[in-house]
Amino acid sequence: MSADNCGGNASVPLRNLLNSIQCVRDRVRDGESNESDGAFNLSNFWDTLNQAVKAVSQEATKFSLAFSKPPLPSQQDGEKLAESILKSVLTLSTVYYWLPKSQGVSLRRQVRDATVQVLEGVMQLVEVILSSPLQSLTQEQLTSTGGVWSACDQFAQLPKDNKAAVLVVLSAQSGVVKDAIEEVEQALTESQDPFSDVLDDDQEEDEARDNQDMYWSEKDRRVIGPCQGLMKASAACLRKLMSAVKMHGDVSLPQNVAQLDDLADITKELSPGIDDLALCLYPPMDCQFLEQLNRNKLVVFVYSFPHELVLCPSRSSHVCGESDLTWVQFLDGAVDHNLQKARDLIQQDS
């Protein structure tokens, strides 16, 4: 039997608990933080948050063990267990709300996402207990309990300030660009027909394939070259920005915290840009898209953002300065060269 279909009303407190945690999860996911009126002690916040996370993990373990074998807890005991785990969940969400946006939007987003993951892990555990046969500790219940532990353990890996949080964002974008570069390079080094393994190959060796638009021609490969150069320029740009943030990033002043958040938000435009560029390269190549390459988000980012970050007074940043002009000019030249080369090759083919 399960907690949901057992005799009496043992499932009632669990269903109420599930509904309550769902409401808390929704408020954390969609709500706003409390603004700090005075000085905010970030170190004290982390100490308190870690204690709250530890309490949720312990309560989830106790809760899971109570429903791991017959007999089921009585309705009264079930209510006490539900109240205890709900108290720990409410404490965690309350501590999260202490973190004001002034400490950094990037930091707060990552703490929010981690908090939501814990709450959803507890919700899943309660759902499993409500629906699983209560004959022994099921694998699903073990997995759900482990999921709560794993979500709680992630808090130890969270960035501790907005500078570190922005570096997490930059690193993720760098990974996306690196993967795209490697995928295109791998496709180029494999067979001339990258779709040969998924198409009908019951043809004689001397018979020409009837899928000429499904693999790259030599002209296509020449166009891909400068597009790869643009991808590599974006990777270089991200490496330089990450280095600049590591060296100069500051979170002691509100305007510097905001500048770091702006940097993180702008670099997020790279993911759709790199995806669009990579997809249009695969056969049949989208030459119409490539003709508008200068409008691609990746190109716009690499071509304009670092230059404005260093030289434009309205975008003056504490992260980059005139000493970074050399690498900005180098990137400008690389982007100009590859854009013009891609345009020339496309126009020749057309």
mmCIF file of all heavy atoms in Angstrom, residues 130-163:
data_model
loop_
_atom_site.group_PDB
_atom_site.id
_atom_site.type_symbol
_atom_site.label_atom_id
_atom_site.label_comp_id
_atom_site.label_asym_id
_atom_site.label_seq_id
_atom_site.Cartn_x
_atom_site.Cartn_y
_atom_site.Cartn_z
ATOM 1 N N LEU A 130 3.778 9.485 -1.521
ATOM 2 C CA LEU A 130 2.324 9.425 -1.668
ATOM 3 C C LEU A 130 1.889 8.346 -2.657
ATOM 4 O O LEU A 130 0.808 7.767 -2.520
ATOM 5 C CB LEU A 130 1.780 10.783 -2.134
ATOM 6 C CG LEU A 130 1.545 11.828 -1.042
ATOM 7 C CD1 LEU A 130 1.320 13.205 -1.659
ATOM 8 C CD2 LEU A 130 0.355 11.440 -0.173
ATOM 9 N N SER A 131 2.725 8.064 -3.636
ATOM 10 C CA SER A 131 2.298 7.181 -4.720
ATOM 11 C C SER A 131 2.938 5.796 -4.707
ATOM 12 O O SER A 131 2.447 4.891 -5.385
ATOM 13 C CB SER A 131 2.595 7.835 -6.077
ATOM 14 O OG SER A 131 3.983 8.060 -6.217
ATOM 15 N N SER A 132 4.022 5.607 -3.949
ATOM 16 C CA SER A 132 4.752 4.339 -4.005
ATOM 17 C C SER A 132 4.151 3.305 -3.058
ATOM 18 O O SER A 132 3.709 3.649 -1.965
ATOM 19 C CB SER A 132 6.224 4.550 -3.642
ATOM 20 O OG SER A 132 6.846 5.423 -4.549
ATOM 21 N N PRO A 133 4.168 2.017 -3.453
ATOM 22 C CA PRO A 133 3.715 0.951 -2.551
ATOM 23 C C PRO A 133 4.618 0.890 -1.322
ATOM 24 O O PRO A 133 5.838 0.928 -1.448
ATOM 25 C CB PRO A 133 3.853 -0.314 -3.398
ATOM 26 C CG PRO A 133 3.899 0.167 -4.811
ATOM 27 C CD PRO A 133 4.550 1.510 -4.762
ATOM 28 N N LEU A 134 4.017 0.810 -0.162
ATOM 29 C CA LEU A 134 4.800 0.815 1.073
ATOM 30 C C LEU A 134 5.072 -0.615 1.527
ATOM 31 O O LEU A 134 4.516 -1.101 2.492
ATOM 32 C CB LEU A 134 4.063 1.591 2.163
ATOM 33 C CG LEU A 134 4.909 1.926 3.398
ATOM 34 C CD1 LEU A 134 6.037 2.880 3.028
ATOM 35 C CD2 LEU A 134 4.050 2.531 4.491
ATOM 36 N N GLN A 135 5.910 -1.318 0.788
ATOM 37 C CA GLN A 135 6.318 -2.659 1.170
ATOM 38 C C GLN A 135 7.751 -2.641 1.685
ATOM 39 O O GLN A 135 8.108 -3.372 2.594
ATOM 40 C CB GLN A 135 6.203 -3.600 -0.030
ATOM 41 C CG GLN A 135 4.772 -3.711 -0.546
ATOM 42 C CD GLN A 135 4.703 -4.473 -1.858
ATOM 43 O OE1 GLN A 135 5.741 -4.729 -2.488
ATOM 44 N NE2 GLN A 135 3.496 -4.813 -2.284
ATOM 45 N N SER A 136 8.550 -1.791 1.067
ATOM 46 C CA SER A 136 9.933 -1.599 1.496
ATOM 47 C C SER A 136 10.394 -0.275 0.911
ATOM 48 O O SER A 136 9.661 0.390 0.184
ATOM 49 C CB SER A 136 10.819 -2.750 1.011
ATOM 50 O OG SER A 136 10.826 -2.799 -0.398
ATOM 51 N N LEU A 137 11.617 0.096 1.221
ATOM 52 C CA LEU A 137 12.175 1.333 0.682
ATOM 53 C C LEU A 137 12.421 1.145 -0.813
ATOM 54 O O LEU A 137 13.297 0.383 -1.218
ATOM 55 C CB LEU A 137 13.481 1.668 1.404
ATOM 56 C CG LEU A 137 14.139 3.001 1.068
ATOM 57 C CD1 LEU A 137 13.209 4.162 1.438
ATOM 58 C CD2 LEU A 137 15.462 3.147 1.817
ATOM 59 N N THR A 138 11.632 1.823 -1.652
ATOM 60 C CA THR A 138 11.725 1.623 -3.100
ATOM 61 C C THR A 138 12.925 2.371 -3.670
ATOM 62 O O THR A 138 13.436 3.332 -3.077
ATOM 63 C CB THR A 138 10.451 2.120 -3.800
ATOM 64 O OG1 THR A 138 10.344 3.538 -3.617
ATOM 65 C CG2 THR A 138 9.209 1.451 -3.217
ATOM 66 N N GLN A 139 13.336 1.930 -4.856
ATOM 67 C CA GLN A 139 14.441 2.600 -5.542
ATOM 68 C C GLN A 139 14.074 4.032 -5.875
ATOM 69 O O GLN A 139 14.915 4.938 -5.803
ATOM 70 C CB GLN A 139 14.794 1.841 -6.820
ATOM 71 C CG GLN A 139 15.980 2.418 -7.569
ATOM 72 C CD GLN A 139 17.249 2.408 -6.749
ATOM 73 O OE1 GLN A 139 17.582 1.404 -6.114
ATOM 74 N NE2 GLN A 139 17.963 3.531 -6.728
ATOM 75 N N GLU A 140 12.798 4.254 -6.219
ATOM 76 C CA GLU A 140 12.356 5.597 -6.546
ATOM 77 C C GLU A 140 12.455 6.526 -5.339
ATOM 78 O O GLU A 140 12.844 7.686 -5.460
ATOM 79 C CB GLU A 140 10.918 5.558 -7.067
ATOM 80 C CG GLU A 140 10.461 6.873 -7.687
ATOM 81 C CD GLU A 140 9.084 6.766 -8.301
ATOM 82 O OE1 GLU A 140 8.421 5.722 -8.136
ATOM 83 O OE2 GLU A 140 8.655 7.755 -8.942
ATOM 84 N N GLN A 141 12.120 5.993 -4.159
ATOM 85 C CA GLN A 141 12.228 6.806 -2.950
ATOM 86 C C GLN A 141 13.685 7.080 -2.604
ATOM 87 O O GLN A 141 14.047 8.184 -2.193
ATOM 88 C CB GLN A 141 11.525 6.128 -1.787
ATOM 89 C CG GLN A 141 11.452 6.990 -0.527
ATOM 90 C CD GLN A 141 10.616 6.349 0.570
ATOM 91 O OE1 GLN A 141 9.762 5.515 0.291
ATOM 92 N NE2 GLN A 141 10.860 6.740 1.809
ATOM 93 N N LEU A 142 14.537 6.081 -2.789
ATOM 94 C CA LEU A 142 15.975 6.281 -2.567
ATOM 95 C C LEU A 142 16.523 7.342 -3.505
ATOM 96 O O LEU A 142 17.295 8.221 -3.096
ATOM 97 C CB LEU A 142 16.728 4.963 -2.780
ATOM 98 C CG LEU A 142 16.703 3.939 -1.647
ATOM 99 C CD1 LEU A 142 17.292 2.617 -2.122
ATOM 100 C CD2 LEU A 142 17.468 4.458 -0.432
ATOM 101 N N THR A 143 16.119 7.265 -4.770
ATOM 102 C CA THR A 143 16.586 8.236 -5.757
ATOM 103 C C THR A 143 16.115 9.637 -5.400
ATOM 104 O O THR A 143 16.877 10.608 -5.513
ATOM 105 C CB THR A 143 16.084 7.841 -7.156
ATOM 106 O OG1 THR A 143 16.571 6.536 -7.489
ATOM 107 C CG2 THR A 143 16.566 8.837 -8.200
ATOM 108 N N SER A 144 14.860 9.758 -4.981
ATOM 109 C CA SER A 144 14.316 11.068 -4.634
ATOM 110 C C SER A 144 15.002 11.647 -3.406
ATOM 111 O O SER A 144 15.289 12.854 -3.360
ATOM 112 C CB SER A 144 12.805 10.963 -4.389
ATOM 113 O OG SER A 144 12.139 10.540 -5.553
ATOM 114 N N THR A 145 15.272 10.793 -2.431
ATOM 115 C CA THR A 145 15.992 11.260 -1.236
ATOM 116 C C THR A 145 17.395 11.717 -1.616
ATOM 117 O O THR A 145 17.868 12.781 -1.181
ATOM 118 C CB THR A 145 16.071 10.143 -0.185
ATOM 119 O OG1 THR A 145 14.759 9.650 0.099
ATOM 120 C CG2 THR A 145 16.700 10.660 1.104
ATOM 121 N N GLY A 146 18.057 10.935 -2.458
ATOM 122 C CA GLY A 146 19.381 11.328 -2.936
ATOM 123 C C GLY A 146 19.342 12.604 -3.740
ATOM 124 O O GLY A 146 20.298 13.397 -3.722
ATOM 125 N N GLY A 147 18.228 12.828 -4.454
ATOM 126 C CA GLY A 147 18.084 14.067 -5.214
ATOM 127 C C GLY A 147 18.053 15.292 -4.320
ATOM 128 O O GLY A 147 18.624 16.338 -4.655
ATOM 129 N N VAL A 148 17.395 15.168 -3.164
ATOM 130 C CA VAL A 148 17.390 16.276 -2.198
ATOM 131 C C VAL A 148 18.797 16.507 -1.666
ATOM 132 O O VAL A 148 19.263 17.659 -1.580
ATOM 133 C CB VAL A 148 16.420 15.984 -1.039
ATOM 134 C CG1 VAL A 148 16.483 17.107 0.006
ATOM 135 C CG2 VAL A 148 14.997 15.834 -1.548
ATOM 136 N N TRP A 149 19.495 15.436 -1.315
ATOM 137 C CA TRP A 149 20.875 15.585 -0.821
ATOM 138 C C TRP A 149 21.759 16.271 -1.862
ATOM 139 O O TRP A 149 22.539 17.162 -1.539
ATOM 140 C CB TRP A 149 21.463 14.214 -0.492
ATOM 141 C CG TRP A 149 20.800 13.488 0.634
ATOM 142 C CD1 TRP A 149 19.988 14.025 1.596
ATOM 143 C CD2 TRP A 149 20.885 12.099 0.903
ATOM 144 N NE1 TRP A 149 19.555 13.046 2.445
ATOM 145 C CE2 TRP A 149 20.100 11.844 2.056
ATOM 146 C CE3 TRP A 149 21.542 11.030 0.311
ATOM 147 C CZ2 TRP A 149 19.960 10.568 2.607
ATOM 148 C CZ3 TRP A 149 21.412 9.760 0.856
ATOM 149 C CH2 TRP A 149 20.634 9.537 1.986
ATOM 150 N N SER A 150 21.631 15.826 -3.122
ATOM 151 C CA SER A 150 22.456 16.388 -4.190
ATOM 152 C C SER A 150 22.168 17.873 -4.378
ATOM 153 O O SER A 150 23.094 18.678 -4.539
ATOM 154 C CB SER A 150 22.201 15.620 -5.489
ATOM 155 O OG SER A 150 22.943 16.167 -6.557
ATOM 156 N N ALA A 151 20.879 18.242 -4.353
ATOM 157 C CA ALA A 151 20.518 19.650 -4.517
ATOM 158 C C ALA A 151 21.065 20.490 -3.363
ATOM 159 O O ALA A 151 21.526 21.618 -3.563
ATOM 160 C CB ALA A 151 19.000 19.791 -4.606
ATOM 161 N N CYS A 152 21.027 19.945 -2.172
ATOM 162 C CA CYS A 152 21.569 20.664 -1.011
ATOM 163 C C CYS A 152 23.092 20.789 -1.102
ATOM 164 O O CYS A 152 23.657 21.834 -0.755
ATOM 165 C CB CYS A 152 21.177 19.952 0.284
ATOM 166 S SG CYS A 152 19.403 20.047 0.677
ATOM 167 N N ASP A 153 23.743 19.733 -1.573
ATOM 168 C CA ASP A 153 25.204 19.759 -1.689
ATOM 169 C C ASP A 153 25.683 20.807 -2.685
ATOM 170 O O ASP A 153 26.819 21.296 -2.587
ATOM 171 C CB ASP A 153 25.728 18.381 -2.113
ATOM 172 C CG ASP A 153 25.601 17.344 -1.015
ATOM 173 O OD1 ASP A 153 25.396 17.739 0.159
ATOM 174 O OD2 ASP A 153 25.685 16.130 -1.318
ATOM 175 N N GLN A 154 24.838 21.169 -3.656
ATOM 176 C CA GLN A 154 25.227 22.144 -4.671
ATOM 177 C C GLN A 154 25.494 23.526 -4.080
ATOM 178 O O GLN A 154 26.203 24.335 -4.689
ATOM 179 C CB GLN A 154 24.142 22.250 -5.748
ATOM 180 C CG GLN A 154 24.034 21.025 -6.639
ATOM 181 C CD GLN A 154 25.330 20.730 -7.377
ATOM 182 O OE1 GLN A 154 25.928 21.619 -7.968
ATOM 183 N NE2 GLN A 154 25.760 19.481 -7.334
ATOM 184 N N PHE A 155 24.941 23.802 -2.923
ATOM 185 C CA PHE A 155 25.136 25.118 -2.318
ATOM 186 C C PHE A 155 26.604 25.369 -1.977
ATOM 187 O O PHE A 155 27.060 26.518 -1.986
ATOM 188 C CB PHE A 155 24.266 25.277 -1.069
ATOM 189 C CG PHE A 155 22.868 25.705 -1.385
ATOM 190 C CD1 PHE A 155 21.945 24.795 -1.895
ATOM 191 C CD2 PHE A 155 22.453 27.019 -1.201
ATOM 192 C CE1 PHE A 155 20.658 25.177 -2.200
ATOM 193 C CE2 PHE A 155 21.163 27.417 -1.505
ATOM 194 C CZ PHE A 155 20.259 26.488 -2.009
ATOM 195 N N ALA A 156 27.334 24.316 -1.690
ATOM 196 C CA ALA A 156 28.759 24.482 -1.386
ATOM 197 C C ALA A 156 29.542 24.936 -2.606
ATOM 198 O O ALA A 156 30.625 25.524 -2.469
ATOM 199 C CB ALA A 156 29.336 23.168 -0.839
ATOM 200 N N GLN A 157 28.989 24.685 -3.812
ATOM 201 C CA GLN A 157 29.679 25.047 -5.048
ATOM 202 C C GLN A 157 29.228 26.386 -5.609
ATOM 203 O O GLN A 157 29.766 26.839 -6.619
ATOM 204 C CB GLN A 157 29.431 23.955 -6.105
ATOM 205 C CG GLN A 157 29.714 22.547 -5.641
ATOM 206 C CD GLN A 157 31.150 22.359 -5.189
ATOM 207 O OE1 GLN A 157 32.063 22.929 -5.787
ATOM 208 N NE2 GLN A 157 31.353 21.571 -4.152
ATOM 209 N N LEU A 158 28.261 27.029 -4.977
ATOM 210 C CA LEU A 158 27.753 28.290 -5.512
ATOM 211 C C LEU A 158 28.789 29.407 -5.380
ATOM 212 O O LEU A 158 29.583 29.416 -4.429
ATOM 213 C CB LEU A 158 26.480 28.705 -4.770
ATOM 214 C CG LEU A 158 25.204 27.911 -5.062
ATOM 215 C CD1 LEU A 158 24.073 28.391 -4.155
ATOM 216 C CD2 LEU A 158 24.803 28.043 -6.526
ATOM 217 N N PRO A 159 28.797 30.346 -6.323
ATOM 218 C CA PRO A 159 29.684 31.516 -6.188
ATOM 219 C C PRO A 159 29.288 32.323 -4.961
ATOM 220 O O PRO A 159 28.109 32.439 -4.638
ATOM 221 C CB PRO A 159 29.434 32.294 -7.481
ATOM 222 C CG PRO A 159 28.073 31.864 -7.934
ATOM 223 C CD PRO A 159 27.942 30.440 -7.519
ATOM 224 N N LYS A 160 30.272 32.900 -4.309
ATOM 225 C CA LYS A 160 30.009 33.573 -3.037
ATOM 226 C C LYS A 160 29.820 35.068 -3.183
ATOM 227 O O LYS A 160 29.463 35.741 -2.214
ATOM 228 C CB LYS A 160 31.155 33.277 -2.054
ATOM 229 C CG LYS A 160 31.260 31.794 -1.670
ATOM 230 C CD LYS A 160 29.951 31.288 -1.088
ATOM 231 C CE LYS A 160 30.048 29.862 -0.596
ATOM 232 N NZ LYS A 160 30.066 28.867 -1.668
ATOM 233 N N ASP A 161 30.067 35.620 -4.374
ATOM 234 C CA ASP A 161 29.774 37.033 -4.616
ATOM 235 C C ASP A 161 29.471 37.216 -6.093
ATOM 236 O O ASP A 161 29.534 36.261 -6.879
ATOM 237 C CB ASP A 161 30.916 37.950 -4.154
ATOM 238 C CG ASP A 161 32.235 37.658 -4.851
ATOM 239 O OD1 ASP A 161 32.214 37.175 -6.010
ATOM 240 O OD2 ASP A 161 33.295 37.921 -4.261
ATOM 241 N N ASN A 162 29.113 38.441 -6.472
ATOM 242 C CA ASN A 162 28.656 38.656 -7.841
ATOM 243 C C ASN A 162 29.775 38.522 -8.870
ATOM 244 O O ASN A 162 29.526 38.154 -10.019
ATOM 245 C CB ASN A 162 28.004 40.037 -7.967
ATOM 246 C CG ASN A 162 26.983 40.090 -9.082
ATOM 247 O OD1 ASN A 162 26.126 39.209 -9.177
ATOM 248 N ND2 ASN A 162 27.066 41.104 -9.946
ATOM 249 N N LYS A 163 30.986 38.829 -8.489
ATOM 250 C CA LYS A 163 32.118 38.638 -9.398
ATOM 251 C C LYS A 163 32.245 37.164 -9.765
ATOM 252 O O LYS A 163 32.362 36.808 -10.953
ATOM 253 C CB LYS A 163 33.404 39.144 -8.745
ATOM 254 C CG LYS A 163 34.665 38.841 -9.532
ATOM 255 C CD LYS A 163 35.900 39.341 -8.792
ATOM 256 C CE LYS A 163 37.189 38.958 -9.493
ATOM 257 N NZ LYS A 163 38.390 39.461 -8.765
#
